[in-house]
Amino acid sequence: MKKLVLFAVYLSFTTLVSAQGLQGAWSATESNDMGSEVEHVLTFTKGFFSEAVFQKADGKFIATKGGHYSLQEGTIELIFEFSTQNPEMVGQTQSIPYSVANDTLELHNRTWTRIDNGTPGDLFGAWLISGRKRDGEIVQRDTSGPRKTMKILSGTRFQWIAYNTKTKEFMGTGGGTYTTVNGKYTENIGFFSRDDSRVGASLEFNYELKDGDWHHSGLSSKGDPIYEVWSQRKQ
């Protein structure tokens, strides 16, 4: 009995270590049919993942997919919530062998190089928009429905995605690098599905963590004032 308990503890510990080793952002590049370099950025937080694909030179958006994940020994199970190239994947599960060693990830017949391990960003994790300030009052938004706007952040990379798990509809995404310094959250846009001309722009916002929620204020990419509340995603 004691051996069984110790074995169960060992499995839990090794799964935790594997999960922590996977967390953060990873990059892989390949050449397309035109000879242009295409970059894949894969982000893992606690239980959630996203992959963004775009042209490395100009940030032209190509595709994205993501959702939940869990780990077994040597295998990652992906449950898709959005996929631009294959919407029929939404709701489906894939089990794929993987391995991590020396900041290199082998996954899905591709070799990934670690970008970061979830640090130093204060906002590492997956977040759902849960409120907006209107006329001085914060209006709450239900995060349990199928229509979601999620931001997923590693230590240095961010991606937002708007999608609907029920209709399998994808509404838009954007991402790039970010910093959090002295209460200022700065996004450097590396790709944007709705408007390629925004690539290269930097946007600075005020940010504050209140009772675990991320309060985000400043001017949108269109110059309009915004005040948003984001809640850490748990399921």
Side-chain angles (χ1 to χ4, degrees), residues 129 131-133 151 214-217 226-230:
I129 193 164
R132 284 191 172 91
K133 184 175 282 188
K151 271 192 178 183
W214 166 15
H215 289 244
H216 172 92
S217 60
I226 60 171
Y227 189 113
E228 299 172 340
V229 180
W230 296 76

Side-chain angles (χ1 to χ4, degrees), residues 18-176:
S18 296
Q20 291 174 337
L22 199 61
Q23 288 178 11
W26 303 82
S27 176
T29 58
E30 61 186 3
S31 295
N32 62 17
D33 295 339
M34 304 295 292
S36 299
E37 271 198 314
V38 172
E39 184 169 8
H40 298 246
V41 174
L42 182 60
T43 302
F44 290 102
T45 64
K46 298 174 183 177
F48 303 94
F49 80 99
S50 69
E51 180 184 349
V53 187
F54 51 93
Q55 291 188 173
K56 193 168 184 176
D58 57 10
K60 183 176 179 59
F61 174 75
I62 297 172
T64 188
K65 59 187 175 184
H68 300 260
Y69 79 94
S70 61
L71 301 178
Q72 304 298 326
E73 191 171 356
T75 303
I76 183 168
E77 186 173 87
L78 307 175
I79 304 173
F80 293 93
E81 288 193 334
F82 56 92
S83 174
T84 55
Q85 291 181 318
N86 299 293
E88 67 277 6
M89 290 175 63
V90 174
Q92 294 187 7
T93 300
Q94 284 186 351
S95 294
I96 308 171
Y98 82 100
S99 63
V100 179
N102 300 322
D103 291 333
T104 299
L105 168 65
E106 299 292 339
L107 176 67
H108 215 289
N109 299 318
R110 183 172 282 126
T111 299
W112 304 79
T113 301
R114 185 185 290 281
I115 298 172
D116 65 62
N117 64 357
T119 60
D122 289 345
L123 299 172
F124 170 76
W127 304 80
L128 292 174
I129 193 164
S130 59
R132 284 191 172 91
K133 184 175 282 188
R134 294 175 183 165
D135 300 323
E137 298 289 334
I138 293 178
V139 179
Q140 300 292 329
R141 176 176 175 174
D142 181 17
T143 60
S144 64
R147 172 68 168 86
K148 300 181 185 300
T149 300
M150 180 172 72
K151 271 192 178 183
I152 185 166
L153 294 94
S154 70
T156 60
R157 298 294 181 111
F158 80 96
Q159 184 183 358
W160 65 266
I161 317 100
Y163 59 98
N164 189 311
T165 56
K166 184 177 181 179
T167 64
K168 305 182 181 182
E169 182 183 7
F170 166 79
M171 278 74 88
T173 190

